[in-house]
Amino acid sequence: MNDSNDVILDDLEIDTFKEIMNIAFGSAAASLSDIINVYVVLSVPNVKIMKSAEIADYIKSEAKACGYNNLVEQSFIGNYRGVALSIFPCGSERELLSIFNPDKESYIESDPLNELEMEILKEVGNILIGSCVGKMVELLKESVTFSPPRFIRGDILQNISLGDAFDSDHWAIIMKTVFHFEEKNISSYLFLINSHEVTASLKKALRNFWKEYE
Amino acid sequence: MYKQALDLINAGFVILDKELKIIHWNRWLSLYSGIKPELIVDHSVFDFFPNLKTPQFLRNCNTVLTFGTVIFLSQKLHSYLFPFKPTCFIDSSFEYMQQSCTIGPLRGEDFSIRYIYIIVQDVTEIVAYEKKLKTMNIMDSLTGIYNRRFFDFSLKEEFEKHKRYSKPLTLIMFDVDCFKDVNDKYGHRCGDYILKSVATISASIIRGVDVLARYGGDEFCCLLPETNIESGLIVAERLRKAIFDYEAIFTSFSVRVTVSLGISELRNELISPEKLFNNADEALYEAKSTGRNKVIARG
């Protein structure tokens, strides 16, 4: 079994990656605020390297501690690829709808609420994931393709699918940030998970990023 | 070659520039919109589809242009982007083709976003089947009113609402008096006709928010949200009288039936929906055992 330091990122690379995420997420937050007319704050991203087998437990403990329970999962494919999870507080669906679909409130009365909630959160998760991943891969001079968002409710631990790229013995890079929609006082978590298989291309992209500042 | 490929796919594919002017309009779109590419290309998408001029569509395009993200627009929330005539004949209730759409970026060699693409998939047939399945899941096939499954679900849901908002909730249970005699004397097809008639008459008396269901056999339940027992008694009496006054003509027979009704209101001391159900059921039993064709209230 490989040691995490051999196959994943060294401290300098992690710091660079954090810097890229800071720029990307800051830019994503600013643009999101412009697009949805609500001031969005993104926390300083946190990077962790852990065994794939530990990811579900880690995410569960992080999210459950705050009573978070709705989850949107989306894969992104390219040289830089992985899984993104957007986790929302249970019961925030109507508030989120008012941000993203202000004219659609009539749907709430006439449609089955659960199905509607699922669709709203899928679209919101899609925008949040797309904006952060999009800005990040742009800085890394990469491009990715997204799978359609998948909504997961209930026991997230059992339902999180990390795909074939996440062999339980392998190391994975996890990034966490918190979105906060200020006026609505809603927060949501965003996790980006990359398997070690993208490390080579990520290291290359990070080197290219340094070069611009050398 | 790429243009040819785009014309061969069984989905709509449109390319817009940053000003949302149409650059490419594939054959599928041409077929279902009736608009030829030479007419629409180089025009703003809003010239031909003014319905798209919404803050949501503009926001989605901005998101794609700003972040390079891919936006998935589900049929469940949006129904359609482009108002095309439906091609599905399973269900004629759709005014427009139901669409599942994807909006995403097209980049130049320098990675900058140059265009927006929209993929349009016709999902009308899937939605029609889904709708049919949903209906089959909650409706009683004989009478056309809700089935027991939907009633049980609604009872639990209304019970939760009562707990949260303390709004009154009343339940009426009723069945056809001596229904077995109808079946024995006139046959089961006549019995079915009577059940359908009772359901139709009852449905015409209650409000749209009330839940009328066939609970099983000749037994019906009617859930009256935000209704106290006094108002519920008025509804129950109307039901009883309307069915009493009804004369069913089945083939050459004239058949008259009556119903017995039990009614109960959800009180705070009732800790479960089953308790409300049991109270109404006991009241119905009392109505049957004390002469039939009457309304008895309990609880």
Side-chain angles (χ1 to χ4, degrees), chain B residues 62 88 100 120 122 145 179 192 222 236 245 286:
Chain B
N62 277 337
C88 159
S100 175
V120 185
D122 179 4
I145 60 174
F179 183 65
D192 287 350
C222 186
D245 291 342
E286 192 180 329

Side-chain angles (χ1 to χ4, degrees), chain B residues 174-194:
Chain B
F174 60 101
D175 70 11
V176 181
D177 295 323
C178 305
F179 183 65
K180 188 177 178 302
D181 295 347
V182 176
N183 276 334
D184 291 347
K185 193 170 174 185
Y186 303 105
H188 283 88
R189 289 192 62 199
C190 178
D192 287 350
Y193 183 75
I194 294 294

